[in-house]
């Protein structure tokens, strides 16, 4: 990692009071990135921060990873960082208002897994969003593969922390045993702890449960059903499902005598706690740069 460059200035021994006032006024109007040079604050580029995450997380480069820059410049000096799930238009505006210029997003910015801007040809929404990012001089880096590669997986760990389930959680094992409670009480706990207004459930709300499997995001029906078969949880908690896969499996399993329940949190809300926790993980390792978590939020209105 390159050391930051500090400007040193030789001052005359005697400086008038008016000169001091003028200097202070000039410094107050300097952009945050430049102001750091005057105050001696540590300066980081986007690439230096990415390198620091790789080093501190003991992470090795992943071939063909989706964790690449989606906008901006790796050599840009960072004035502030925002972590989030999706770099939405609203979130970009909020980032600019904070004086930050580096967004670390868990999911795609341009609506497809590889963020290919030509996924749909001449996409006017993509073009407007690219223009907005350029206007505010904001760099977006996707951190999906690498944050899941931290030990423990920061996304699941963050959810366990918000749910107060860390005492029952063993790293790399998404199936845990919690104190017995009804499915209805579990649903209420999930909504309250994760800040979810509505979620979908298959199961008997009066039935007691204890063994739960937490699979956030969208790992796919095959993984979800595989865990249901291998771990036999009372409740399978997921981010999102292909409705013709996992949901139908759970329905038929129950019709054939199983008590297994399914809770669907929504992709965004199931992984957002991990991006919140990522602030706690990264901030102590990165002095002089403010890191803020902002929820991109649920895109749906429930009627």
């Amino acid at each position: 990692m390159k050391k930051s460059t500090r400007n040193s200035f030789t001052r005359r021994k005697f400086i008038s009071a008016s000169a001091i006032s003028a200097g202070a006024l000039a410094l107050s109007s300097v952009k945050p990135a430049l102001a750091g040079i005057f105050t001696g604050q540590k300066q980081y580029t986007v690439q230096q921060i990415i390198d620091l995450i790789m080093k501190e997380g003991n992470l090795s480069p992943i071939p063909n990873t989706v964790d690449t820059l989606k906008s901006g410049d790796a050599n840009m000096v960072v004035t502030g960082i925002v972590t989030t799930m999706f770099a939405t238009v609203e979130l970009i505006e909020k980032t600019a208002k904070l004086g930050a210029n580096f967004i670390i997003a868990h999911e795609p910015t341009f609506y497809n897994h590889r963020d290919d801007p030509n996924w749909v040809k001449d996409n006017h929404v993509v073009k407007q969003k690219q223009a907005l990012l350029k206007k505010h001089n904001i760099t977006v880096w996707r951190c999906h593969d690498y944050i899941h590669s931290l030990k423990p997986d920061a996304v699941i760990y963050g959810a366990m922390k918000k749910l107060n389930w860390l005492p029952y959680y063993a790293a790399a094992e998404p199936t845990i045993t919690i104190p017995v409670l009804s499915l209805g009480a579990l649903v209420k706990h999930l909504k309250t702890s994760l800040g979810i207004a509505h979620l979908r459930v298959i199961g008997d709300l009066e039935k007691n449960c204890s063994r739960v499997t937490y699979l956030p995001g969208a790992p796919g029906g095959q993984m979800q059903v595989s865990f249901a078969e291998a771990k036999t949880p009372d409740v399978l908690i997921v981010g999102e499902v292909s409705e013709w896969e996992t949901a139908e499996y759970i329905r038929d399993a129950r019709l054939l005598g199983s008590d297994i329940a399914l809770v669907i949190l929504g992709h965004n809300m199931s992984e957002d706690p991990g991006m919140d926790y990522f602030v706690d993980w990264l901030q102590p390792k990165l002095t002089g740069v403010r890191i803020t978590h902002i929820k991109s939020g649920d895109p749906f209105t429930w009627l």
Side-chain angles (χ1 to χ4, degrees):
M1 185 185 301
K2 294 181 180 179
K3 294 184 177 179
S4 62
T5 303
R6 298 183 180 180
N7 288 359
S8 59
F9 298 89
T10 304
R11 302 293 188 189
R12 291 183 179 179
K13 187 174 181 180
F14 300 101
I15 303 176
S16 67
S18 60
I20 294 174
S21 298
L25 179 61
L27 181 57
S28 67
S29 64
V30 176
K31 291 182 179 180
L34 188 56
I37 297 175
F38 284 87
T39 59
Q41 177 177 306
K42 174 71 174 177
Q43 299 287 292
Y44 295 91
T45 65
V46 166
Q47 189 60 57
Q48 286 173 330
I49 291 172
I50 293 173
D51 291 343
L52 182 145
I53 290 169
M54 297 292 290
K55 179 182 177 182
E56 293 292 331
N58 194 29
L59 300 170
S60 299
I62 298 174
N64 204 32
T65 181
V66 296
D67 292 5
T68 59
L69 295 187
K70 310 307 176 183
S71 70
D73 183 358
N75 295 316
M76 181 186 73
V77 174
V78 174
T79 60
I81 301 172
V82 168
T83 70
T84 192
M85 277 292 291
F86 291 89
T88 66
V89 168
E90 181 182 28
L91 187 127
I92 292 167
E93 297 285 9
K94 287 181 178 179
T95 298
K97 287 180 181 179
L98 281 177
N101 62 356
F102 185 25
I103 296 174
I104 300 178
H106 187 59
E107 296 296 2
T109 299
F110 299 118
Y111 324 118
N112 65 94
H113 187 54
R114 303 213 68 86
D115 279 294
D116 179 1
N118 297 312
W119 180 59
V120 172
K121 188 177 180 180
D122 295 325
N123 188 325
H124 74 284
V125 174
V126 167
K127 291 178 180 179
Q128 290 179 84
K129 194 171 188 180
Q130 288 173 324
L132 182 65
L133 287 163
K134 186 175 181 179
K135 171 188 172 183
H136 291 303
N137 194 28
I138 289 176
T139 295
V140 176
W141 178 55
R142 187 177 181 190
C143 186
H144 179 275
D145 299 345
Y146 289 121
I147 199 171
H148 279 301
S149 298
L150 292 174
K151 299 189 184 309
D153 180 326
V155 172
I156 295 181
Y157 187 90
M160 295 296 105
K161 183 178 179 182
K162 278 200 178 288
L163 290 164
N164 291 319
W165 287 349
L166 285 179
Y168 319 112
Y169 173 63
E173 179 48 68
T175 300
I176 63 174
T177 300
I178 61 174
V180 176
L181 74 173
S182 70
L183 178 61
L186 174 63
V187 168
K188 183 177 180 180
H189 177 64
L190 289 166
K191 292 172 65 175
T192 301
S193 301
L194 302 182
I196 302 174
H198 302 88
L199 45 74
R200 292 187 291 171
V201 181
I202 300 176
D204 180 357
L205 295 180
E206 302 299 323
K207 187 73 176 180
N208 282 338
C209 53
S210 176
R211 187 172 171 81
V212 301
T213 295
Y214 191 93
L215 297 175
Q222 186 176 36
M223 178 179 285
Q224 291 165 347
V225 172
S226 293
F227 268 92
E229 287 287 315
K231 301 297 182 178
T232 60
D234 299 320
V235 186
L236 181 64
I237 303 172
V238 302
E240 66 172 272
V241 299
S242 294
E243 295 185 9
W244 50 277
E245 294 177 337
T246 306
E248 292 304 322
Y249 163 84
I250 295 293
R251 174 154 64 174
D252 277 346
R254 293 183 58 79
L255 289 170
L256 290 169
S258 172
D259 285 329
I260 189 171
L262 175 68
V263 178
I264 306 172
L265 304 175
H267 192 136
N268 193 319
M269 306 305 285
S270 72
E271 294 194 296
D272 182 76
M275 298 311 291
D276 191 2
Y277 165 69
F278 194 51
V279 176
D280 297 337
W281 184 89
L282 182 57
Q283 188 68 85
K285 305 171 178 64
L286 191 62
T287 58
V289 178
R290 181 185 177 190
I291 310 174
T292 306
H293 173 69
I294 301 178
K295 284 187 175 183
S296 51
D298 190 339
F300 300 102
T301 298
W302 297 83
L303 301 178

